[in-house]
Amino acid sequence: MTTFPDPFNGLVITRYSNFYAVEDKDGTIRQCVSRKKLSPLCGDFVTWEVSGDGGVITATMPRKNVLTRPDRRGQAKETATNIDQLIIVNAIPDVGDEQAHYAFNTALTDRYIVATELLGATPLILLNKCDLASQETIKRMELALKIYQDIGYTTLLTSTKAEIGIEALNNQLCDKISIFVGESGAGKSSLINAIMPTLAIRTNVVSAHSGLGKHTTTTTVLYHLPQGGHLIDSPGVREFGLWKVEAAQLAEGFREFKPYLGECRFRNCSHRHNAGCAIEAAAAAGKISAARMESYYRIYNDLNSSD
Ligand SMILES: Nc1nc2c(ncn2[C@@H]2O[C@H](COP(=O)(O)OP(=O)(O)OP(=O)(O)O)[C@@H](O)[C@H]2O)c(=O)[nH]1
Ligand SMILES: [Mg+2]
Ligand SMILES: [Zn+2]
C-alpha cells in the first residue's frame, strides 16, 4: 500500500498530453488536470479535488529530486521525481559482436551513476540478457562489474528469458521508488514484467528488417510492487547527456574520489593531468580504477565541449 504523506491524497502515476493519472488513497486511478502553475511529474505526491468526472491537482509535495532525460532536440526534459534508486539496465553484448568484446556500455553507465549521485539516489548496475552470453563473456562481464562492486555499488546479472537474477532484483526493490533507465532494447520493460507477470507491459521487439523497435516504451509510468515499493518504467535513451552539472561538480559524482577531494595542491584542480592532484595520484597508486578515471576525463571533456 502506498503511504500518502499528509495532507497529500494523490500520487501521479503517469502523464498523457494534458492529463495526469492520479492514484487516490483507495487505489482508484483518476484522470486529472492540473492548476496552471504546477507541472506534476510521475512520482509526485499531490493534493487533488473532484472536478466533473475527474479531478484537478491543486498542489504538489516538495520534491526530493527530479530526474531529467534528453528529448528529441537534446534538451533536458523532466521525467520523474522522488527517485530513491536508479536501476541502470545494460544488455550484455551479443555473442560474436567483435566491437563489443571489451565490456558493456560503461560510458553510459558512468554517466548515469554521476546523475544518480548528484540526485542523492542509489544506483544499481544491472547487466541483462546473460542467457545470450558464453561462459567466457560472463567472466569478462563479472570483471567489469567488479570495478563497481569494489566502490560499493550493487550489481546484478539477469536474464528475463532464462529467469536468472530476477529474485535477487526483486529483493532490491522493497519500500522505495526505483526507476529503470538505460538504452532502448536493453530489457527494462521485460524486467518489470518478469517481476510482476500480471502487468504484461508491451516490450520492444526490434524488427530485423527496419532495425526499428516496436512497442518501445514512450511514456514514464509508475507501478506498485505487491510487497511495497514502486517501479517506474521509462523510455530508453540513445545517449545520456548531463545537464546542470558543472565541471567542478562532476568529481562529486565519482564516489571513490571522495576521500581525496580537497587534498589536491590547487583548490580549483580539475583532476586532469594537474600537478599535485590527489585523485590522479590515487589512480596512479591503483586506488582508483583506470577505467573510471578515463570515464571522468571523457565526461569532463564532453561537458566542456557542449558549452
Ligand atoms: N535473450 C534475451 N532477450 C531479452 C531479455 N530481456 C529482454 N529481452 C528482449 O529484448 C527486447 C527489448 O526488451 P524491452 O523490455 O522492450 O526493452 P526496453 O529496455 O524496455 O526498451 P525501450 O522501451 O525501447 O527502452 C525484447 O525483444 C525482449 O524480448 C533477456 O534477458 N534475454
Ligand atoms: Mg520499455
Ligand atoms: Zn585534483
Side-chain angles (χ1 to χ4, degrees):
M1 273 309 279
T2 308
T3 319
F4 288 82
D6 219 32
F8 300 96
N9 59 350
L11 173 63
V12 177
I13 302 298
T14 191
R15 177 191 178 150
Y16 41 101
S17 61
N18 289 325
F19 296 105
Y20 300 86
V22 174
E23 183 178 359
D24 70 13
K25 287 188 169 175
D26 302 329
T28 308
I29 312 260
R30 283 164 200 276
Q31 177 171 297
C32 291
V33 292
S34 172
R35 289 238 169 111
K36 276 212 176 70
K37 280 184 183 153
L38 306 170
S39 1
L41 288 173
C42 177
D44 258 326
F45 284 101
V46 299
T47 51
W48 64 274
E49 291 164 4
V50 175
S51 161
D53 290 341
V56 55
I57 296 171
T58 53
T60 54
M61 191 178 88
R63 291 166 175 163
K64 176 179 162 173
N65 53 31
V66 174
L67 180 71
T68 57
R69 67 188 301 277
D71 68 8
R72 260 171 280 164
R73 287 168 297 133
Q75 299 294 306
K77 186 168 175 279
E78 296 187 332
T79 309
T81 182
N82 298 323
I83 306 299
D84 299 304
Q85 176 166 256
L86 265 90
I87 300 179
I88 304 167
V89 181
N90 289 280
I92 214 152
D94 280 346
V95 182
D97 184 348
E98 290 306 319
Q99 287 184 324
H101 68 277
Y102 49 95
F104 57 94
N105 194 344
T106 51
L108 185 67
T109 299
D110 286 332
R111 280 175 163 71
Y112 269 121
I113 290 174
V114 169
T116 311
E117 290 286 350
L118 298 178
L119 283 178
T122 309
L124 190 154
I125 297 129
L126 186 151
L127 202 42
N128 187 37
K129 306 197 186 183
C130 66
D131 56 289
L132 296 179
S134 64
Q135 276 310 312
E136 193 197 332
T137 305
I138 298 274
K139 281 209 187 89
R140 218 172 48 235
M141 295 304 136
E142 282 171 342
L143 280 179
L145 289 175
K146 188 165 183 309
I147 293 176
Y148 297 99
Q149 291 161 7
D150 286 348
I151 51 177
Y153 293 133
T154 302
T155 70
L156 282 177
L157 273 168
T158 62
S159 165
T160 64
K161 292 269 148 80
E163 294 182 29
I164 296 166
I166 304 302
E167 196 52 44
L169 174 60
N170 216 344
N171 292 337
Q172 301 289 331
L173 305 174
C174 277
D175 299 327
K176 45 177 115 81
I177 300 188
S178 301
I179 184 164
F180 285 70
V181 296
E183 278 180 296
S184 187
K188 298 176 290 298
S189 301
S190 304
L191 285 161
I192 295 178
N193 279 333
I195 288 160
M196 290 185 281
T198 51
L199 268 182
I201 312 173
R202 300 215 290 178
T203 56
N204 177 0
V205 185
V206 178
S207 146
H209 295 294
S210 65
L212 296 173
K214 281 187 285 179
H215 305 323
T216 184
T217 306
T218 52
T219 47
T220 302
V221 184
L222 182 144
Y223 303 98
H224 304 304
L225 277 172
Q227 71 268 37
H230 312 279
L231 304 183
I232 301 177
D233 194 9
S234 78
V237 294
R238 290 204 173 275
E239 262 176 71
F240 185 81
L242 287 167
W243 307 272
K244 300 179 206 153
V245 178
E246 298 299 322
Q249 251 192 317
L250 179 62
E252 288 166 37
F254 282 75
R255 62 148 56 171
E256 69 273 47
F257 290 9
K258 286 223 170 88
Y260 313 102
L261 287 176
E263 306 270 305
C264 301
R265 186 180 306 157
F266 300 107
R267 262 195 62 197
N268 61 351
C269 184
S270 68
H271 324 304
R272 291 161 63 246
H273 320 296
N274 296 90
C277 176
I279 288 168
E280 294 185 295
K287 290 178 185 149
I288 289 171
S289 105
R292 289 271 294 169
M293 197 71 225
E294 281 304 320
S295 239
Y296 173 81
Y297 295 144
R298 199 167 44 216
I299 299 172
Y300 189 102
N301 287 339
D302 288 353
L303 286 176
N304 283 358
S305 62
S306 63
D307 282 348

